[in-house]
Amino acid sequence: VVNSIDMAQRGLEMVVTGSDDMTVKLWDFRDKKPSLEQKQNYQITSVCFGKNYDTVYYGGVNNQILVWNLRKDEIEERYIGHTDSITGLSVSHSSNFLLSDSMDHTIKVWDIRPWCSGSREVKTLTSAIHNYERNLLRPAWNKDDTLISGGSADRFVYVWDFETAGVLHKLGGHHGSVNE
């Protein structure tokens, strides 16, 4: 099962996938086969490209986010802070921050700027929950990176203010889990 996919948005004909077969694959449309691959010993549940498409962020059931440098084909960094599986990742439009949703009932904000000093973990958002279904909930940014949204197993969509990390809206009306 392919759990996550992200497509390059500017000019490059590439897509990255993460799967239950424990691989992250970078696909080039011209070759119609993976051009690079990372093999892990756990299922991959979320993937996303970095700003210039030379980096892929991915996470899975090992509770960590790995930073894969595509030019060097190596893992550059690991973001550790969640206590359960990563279910969703999203890079901000400014490319300064990464959101990670986890089955530990948190969404974390990570500073992914190259000159970041100290801890990359900036803040933790709470309220959205996971349940026994263990769905892959995905977070998202608004256009100017001031708001963060996330679905929840409690059938609500939560909207947080980026600066304060406070819940601005709790939007109901769905009859099941809101995954993305």
Side-chain angles (χ1 to χ4, degrees), residues 99 107 109 123 125 139-142 145-150 158-162:
L99 295 176
I107 295 176
V109 181
K123 55 185 75 178
L125 311 174
W141 296 92
N142 73 330
D145 298 334
T146 59
L147 301 176
I148 296 167
S149 65
Y158 290 86
V159 179
W160 293 269
D161 178 272
F162 172 69

PDB file of all heavy atoms in Angstrom, residues 99 107 109 123 125 139-142 145-150 158-162:
ATOM      1  N   LEU A  99       5.350  20.838   9.269  1.00  0.00           N
ATOM      2  CA  LEU A  99       4.347  20.310  10.197  1.00  0.00           C
ATOM      3  C   LEU A  99       4.451  18.794  10.202  1.00  0.00           C
ATOM      4  O   LEU A  99       4.643  18.178   9.154  1.00  0.00           O
ATOM      5  CB  LEU A  99       2.933  20.665   9.749  1.00  0.00           C
ATOM      6  CG  LEU A  99       2.521  22.120   9.735  1.00  0.00           C
ATOM      7  CD1 LEU A  99       1.114  22.248   9.151  1.00  0.00           C
ATOM      8  CD2 LEU A  99       2.572  22.708  11.132  1.00  0.00           C
ATOM      9  N   ILE A 107       0.449  17.854  16.755  1.00  0.00           N
ATOM     10  CA  ILE A 107       1.051  18.338  15.520  1.00  0.00           C
ATOM     11  C   ILE A 107       2.227  19.192  15.965  1.00  0.00           C
ATOM     12  O   ILE A 107       2.061  20.114  16.761  1.00  0.00           O
ATOM     13  CB  ILE A 107       0.070  19.167  14.680  1.00  0.00           C
ATOM     14  CG1 ILE A 107      -1.086  18.296  14.187  1.00  0.00           C
ATOM     15  CG2 ILE A 107       0.791  19.820  13.502  1.00  0.00           C
ATOM     16  CD1 ILE A 107      -2.164  19.049  13.433  1.00  0.00           C
ATOM     17  N   VAL A 109       5.583  21.653  15.015  1.00  0.00           N
ATOM     18  CA  VAL A 109       6.135  22.583  14.028  1.00  0.00           C
ATOM     19  C   VAL A 109       7.652  22.532  14.181  1.00  0.00           C
ATOM     20  O   VAL A 109       8.173  22.722  15.287  1.00  0.00           O
ATOM     21  CB  VAL A 109       5.617  24.023  14.242  1.00  0.00           C
ATOM     22  CG1 VAL A 109       6.199  24.957  13.194  1.00  0.00           C
ATOM     23  CG2 VAL A 109       4.093  24.064  14.231  1.00  0.00           C
ATOM     24  N   LYS A 123       7.169  24.353  18.191  1.00  0.00           N
ATOM     25  CA  LYS A 123       5.985  24.331  19.046  1.00  0.00           C
ATOM     26  C   LYS A 123       5.191  23.073  18.799  1.00  0.00           C
ATOM     27  O   LYS A 123       5.379  22.383  17.804  1.00  0.00           O
ATOM     28  CB  LYS A 123       5.119  25.568  18.853  1.00  0.00           C
ATOM     29  CG  LYS A 123       4.681  25.847  17.440  1.00  0.00           C
ATOM     30  CD  LYS A 123       3.926  27.167  17.293  1.00  0.00           C
ATOM     31  CE  LYS A 123       4.890  28.307  17.355  1.00  0.00           C
ATOM     32  NZ  LYS A 123       4.356  29.621  17.179  1.00  0.00           N
ATOM     33  N   LEU A 125       1.143  21.615  18.812  1.00  0.00           N
ATOM     34  CA  LEU A 125      -0.287  21.916  18.788  1.00  0.00           C
ATOM     35  C   LEU A 125      -1.045  20.685  19.284  1.00  0.00           C
ATOM     36  O   LEU A 125      -0.695  19.557  18.938  1.00  0.00           O
ATOM     37  CB  LEU A 125      -0.737  22.249  17.369  1.00  0.00           C
ATOM     38  CG  LEU A 125       0.108  23.267  16.606  1.00  0.00           C
ATOM     39  CD1 LEU A 125      -0.360  23.378  15.169  1.00  0.00           C
ATOM     40  CD2 LEU A 125       0.053  24.615  17.285  1.00  0.00           C
ATOM     41  N   PRO A 139      -1.801  17.319   8.222  1.00  0.00           N
ATOM     42  CA  PRO A 139      -1.914  18.752   8.525  1.00  0.00           C
ATOM     43  C   PRO A 139      -1.715  19.594   7.263  1.00  0.00           C
ATOM     44  O   PRO A 139      -1.226  19.097   6.249  1.00  0.00           O
ATOM     45  CB  PRO A 139      -0.764  18.991   9.502  1.00  0.00           C
ATOM     46  CG  PRO A 139       0.294  18.039   9.006  1.00  0.00           C
ATOM     47  CD  PRO A 139      -0.450  16.822   8.494  1.00  0.00           C
ATOM     48  N   ALA A 140      -2.085  20.879   7.326  1.00  0.00           N
ATOM     49  CA  ALA A 140      -1.923  21.766   6.169  1.00  0.00           C
ATOM     50  C   ALA A 140      -1.717  23.207   6.631  1.00  0.00           C
ATOM     51  O   ALA A 140      -2.151  23.590   7.722  1.00  0.00           O
ATOM     52  CB  ALA A 140      -3.157  21.687   5.265  1.00  0.00           C
ATOM     53  N   TRP A 141      -1.079  23.989   5.773  1.00  0.00           N
ATOM     54  CA  TRP A 141      -0.852  25.421   5.976  1.00  0.00           C
ATOM     55  C   TRP A 141      -1.836  26.210   5.116  1.00  0.00           C
ATOM     56  O   TRP A 141      -2.212  25.765   4.043  1.00  0.00           O
ATOM     57  CB  TRP A 141       0.544  25.827   5.521  1.00  0.00           C
ATOM     58  CG  TRP A 141       1.676  25.228   6.283  1.00  0.00           C
ATOM     59  CD1 TRP A 141       2.338  24.079   5.989  1.00  0.00           C
ATOM     60  CD2 TRP A 141       2.285  25.748   7.459  1.00  0.00           C
ATOM     61  NE1 TRP A 141       3.326  23.858   6.904  1.00  0.00           N
ATOM     62  CE2 TRP A 141       3.318  24.871   7.818  1.00  0.00           C
ATOM     63  CE3 TRP A 141       2.070  26.890   8.236  1.00  0.00           C
ATOM     64  CZ2 TRP A 141       4.131  25.083   8.929  1.00  0.00           C
ATOM     65  CZ3 TRP A 141       2.880  27.099   9.333  1.00  0.00           C
ATOM     66  CH2 TRP A 141       3.894  26.215   9.678  1.00  0.00           C
ATOM     67  N   ASN A 142      -2.187  27.435   5.554  1.00  0.00           N
ATOM     68  CA  ASN A 142      -2.896  28.338   4.649  1.00  0.00           C
ATOM     69  C   ASN A 142      -1.856  29.035   3.758  1.00  0.00           C
ATOM     70  O   ASN A 142      -0.653  28.815   3.900  1.00  0.00           O
ATOM     71  CB  ASN A 142      -3.779  29.338   5.407  1.00  0.00           C
ATOM     72  CG  ASN A 142      -2.983  30.415   6.121  1.00  0.00           C
ATOM     73  OD1 ASN A 142      -1.845  30.202   6.545  1.00  0.00           O
ATOM     74  ND2 ASN A 142      -3.576  31.573   6.270  1.00  0.00           N
ATOM     75  N   ASP A 145       0.927  31.073   5.574  1.00  0.00           N
ATOM     76  CA  ASP A 145       1.566  30.384   6.708  1.00  0.00           C
ATOM     77  C   ASP A 145       1.183  30.955   8.072  1.00  0.00           C
ATOM     78  O   ASP A 145       1.939  30.809   9.039  1.00  0.00           O
ATOM     79  CB  ASP A 145       3.092  30.380   6.569  1.00  0.00           C
ATOM     80  CG  ASP A 145       3.582  29.641   5.342  1.00  0.00           C
ATOM     81  OD1 ASP A 145       2.867  28.741   4.851  1.00  0.00           O
ATOM     82  OD2 ASP A 145       4.687  29.956   4.870  1.00  0.00           O
ATOM     83  N   THR A 146       0.034  31.583   8.187  1.00  0.00           N
ATOM     84  CA  THR A 146      -0.400  32.117   9.479  1.00  0.00           C
ATOM     85  C   THR A 146      -1.358  31.174  10.199  1.00  0.00           C
ATOM     86  O   THR A 146      -1.556  31.302  11.401  1.00  0.00           O
ATOM     87  CB  THR A 146      -1.083  33.486   9.316  1.00  0.00           C
ATOM     88  OG1 THR A 146      -2.211  33.334   8.440  1.00  0.00           O
ATOM     89  CG2 THR A 146      -0.113  34.514   8.762  1.00  0.00           C
ATOM     90  N   LEU A 147      -1.935  30.244   9.451  1.00  0.00           N
ATOM     91  CA  LEU A 147      -2.890  29.294  10.027  1.00  0.00           C
ATOM     92  C   LEU A 147      -2.470  27.871   9.683  1.00  0.00           C
ATOM     93  O   LEU A 147      -1.904  27.608   8.626  1.00  0.00           O
ATOM     94  CB  LEU A 147      -4.305  29.536   9.483  1.00  0.00           C
ATOM     95  CG  LEU A 147      -4.913  30.912   9.709  1.00  0.00           C
ATOM     96  CD1 LEU A 147      -6.274  31.003   9.028  1.00  0.00           C
ATOM     97  CD2 LEU A 147      -5.033  31.212  11.196  1.00  0.00           C
ATOM     98  N   ILE A 148      -2.796  26.962  10.591  1.00  0.00           N
ATOM     99  CA  ILE A 148      -2.519  25.539  10.420  1.00  0.00           C
ATOM    100  C   ILE A 148      -3.837  24.808  10.617  1.00  0.00           C
ATOM    101  O   ILE A 148      -4.580  25.116  11.554  1.00  0.00           O
ATOM    102  CB  ILE A 148      -1.481  25.061  11.455  1.00  0.00           C
ATOM    103  CG1 ILE A 148      -0.151  25.766  11.224  1.00  0.00           C
ATOM    104  CG2 ILE A 148      -1.336  23.545  11.420  1.00  0.00           C
ATOM    105  CD1 ILE A 148       0.838  25.618  12.369  1.00  0.00           C
ATOM    106  N   SER A 149      -4.122  23.859   9.753  1.00  0.00           N
ATOM    107  CA  SER A 149      -5.341  23.066   9.921  1.00  0.00           C
ATOM    108  C   SER A 149      -4.983  21.593  10.018  1.00  0.00           C
ATOM    109  O   SER A 149      -3.941  21.154   9.529  1.00  0.00           O
ATOM    110  CB  SER A 149      -6.316  23.301   8.762  1.00  0.00           C
ATOM    111  OG  SER A 149      -5.767  22.830   7.562  1.00  0.00           O
ATOM    112  N   GLY A 150      -5.868  20.872  10.670  1.00  0.00           N
ATOM    113  CA  GLY A 150      -5.675  19.436  10.795  1.00  0.00           C
ATOM    114  C   GLY A 150      -6.993  18.753  11.063  1.00  0.00           C
ATOM    115  O   GLY A 150      -7.847  19.280  11.777  1.00  0.00           O
ATOM    116  N   TYR A 158      -9.694  21.194  12.963  1.00  0.00           N
ATOM    117  CA  TYR A 158      -9.152  22.201  13.871  1.00  0.00           C
ATOM    118  C   TYR A 158      -8.310  23.189  13.064  1.00  0.00           C
ATOM    119  O   TYR A 158      -7.587  22.797  12.157  1.00  0.00           O
ATOM    120  CB  TYR A 158      -8.291  21.557  14.949  1.00  0.00           C
ATOM    121  CG  TYR A 158      -9.105  20.769  15.939  1.00  0.00           C
ATOM    122  CD1 TYR A 158      -9.453  19.447  15.694  1.00  0.00           C
ATOM    123  CD2 TYR A 158      -9.553  21.363  17.112  1.00  0.00           C
ATOM    124  CE1 TYR A 158     -10.218  18.730  16.591  1.00  0.00           C
ATOM    125  CE2 TYR A 158     -10.317  20.654  18.024  1.00  0.00           C
ATOM    126  CZ  TYR A 158     -10.648  19.332  17.753  1.00  0.00           C
ATOM    127  OH  TYR A 158     -11.416  18.630  18.647  1.00  0.00           O
ATOM    128  N   VAL A 159      -8.403  24.463  13.440  1.00  0.00           N
ATOM    129  CA  VAL A 159      -7.593  25.516  12.830  1.00  0.00           C
ATOM    130  C   VAL A 159      -6.871  26.242  13.960  1.00  0.00           C
ATOM    131  O   VAL A 159      -7.513  26.747  14.887  1.00  0.00           O
ATOM    132  CB  VAL A 159      -8.450  26.503  12.000  1.00  0.00           C
ATOM    133  CG1 VAL A 159      -7.567  27.590  11.396  1.00  0.00           C
ATOM    134  CG2 VAL A 159      -9.225  25.766  10.912  1.00  0.00           C
ATOM    135  N   TRP A 160      -5.547  26.269  13.876  1.00  0.00           N
ATOM    136  CA  TRP A 160      -4.708  26.907  14.888  1.00  0.00           C
ATOM    137  C   TRP A 160      -4.070  28.170  14.325  1.00  0.00           C
ATOM    138  O   TRP A 160      -3.757  28.247  13.140  1.00  0.00           O
ATOM    139  CB  TRP A 160      -3.563  25.986  15.316  1.00  0.00           C
ATOM    140  CG  TRP A 160      -3.956  24.760  16.061  1.00  0.00           C
ATOM    141  CD1 TRP A 160      -4.067  24.607  17.407  1.00  0.00           C
ATOM    142  CD2 TRP A 160      -4.242  23.482  15.497  1.00  0.00           C
ATOM    143  NE1 TRP A 160      -4.409  23.321  17.713  1.00  0.00           N
ATOM    144  CE2 TRP A 160      -4.534  22.607  16.558  1.00  0.00           C
ATOM    145  CE3 TRP A 160      -4.302  22.988  14.193  1.00  0.00           C
ATOM    146  CZ2 TRP A 160      -4.856  21.269  16.367  1.00  0.00           C
ATOM    147  CZ3 TRP A 160      -4.631  21.652  13.990  1.00  0.00           C
ATOM    148  CH2 TRP A 160      -4.900  20.823  15.069  1.00  0.00           C
ATOM    149  N   ASP A 161      -3.813  29.120  15.207  1.00  0.00           N
ATOM    150  CA  ASP A 161      -3.014  30.292  14.877  1.00  0.00           C
ATOM    151  C   ASP A 161      -1.550  29.882  15.000  1.00  0.00           C
ATOM    152  O   ASP A 161      -1.138  29.337  16.033  1.00  0.00           O
ATOM    153  CB  ASP A 161      -3.341  31.430  15.843  1.00  0.00           C
ATOM    154  CG  ASP A 161      -2.502  32.653  15.582  1.00  0.00           C
ATOM    155  OD1 ASP A 161      -1.396  32.740  16.159  1.00  0.00           O
ATOM    156  OD2 ASP A 161      -2.933  33.517  14.804  1.00  0.00           O
ATOM    157  N   PHE A 162      -0.762  30.127  13.963  1.00  0.00           N
ATOM    158  CA  PHE A 162       0.642  29.717  13.986  1.00  0.00           C
ATOM    159  C   PHE A 162       1.417  30.405  15.112  1.00  0.00           C
ATOM    160  O   PHE A 162       2.200  29.776  15.818  1.00  0.00           O
ATOM    161  CB  PHE A 162       1.307  30.002  12.636  1.00  0.00           C
ATOM    162  CG  PHE A 162       2.794  29.782  12.656  1.00  0.00           C
ATOM    163  CD1 PHE A 162       3.321  28.511  12.772  1.00  0.00           C
ATOM    164  CD2 PHE A 162       3.666  30.849  12.577  1.00  0.00           C
ATOM    165  CE1 PHE A 162       4.695  28.296  12.811  1.00  0.00           C
ATOM    166  CE2 PHE A 162       5.042  30.653  12.609  1.00  0.00           C
ATOM    167  CZ  PHE A 162       5.551  29.368  12.724  1.00  0.00           C
TER     168      PHE A 162
END
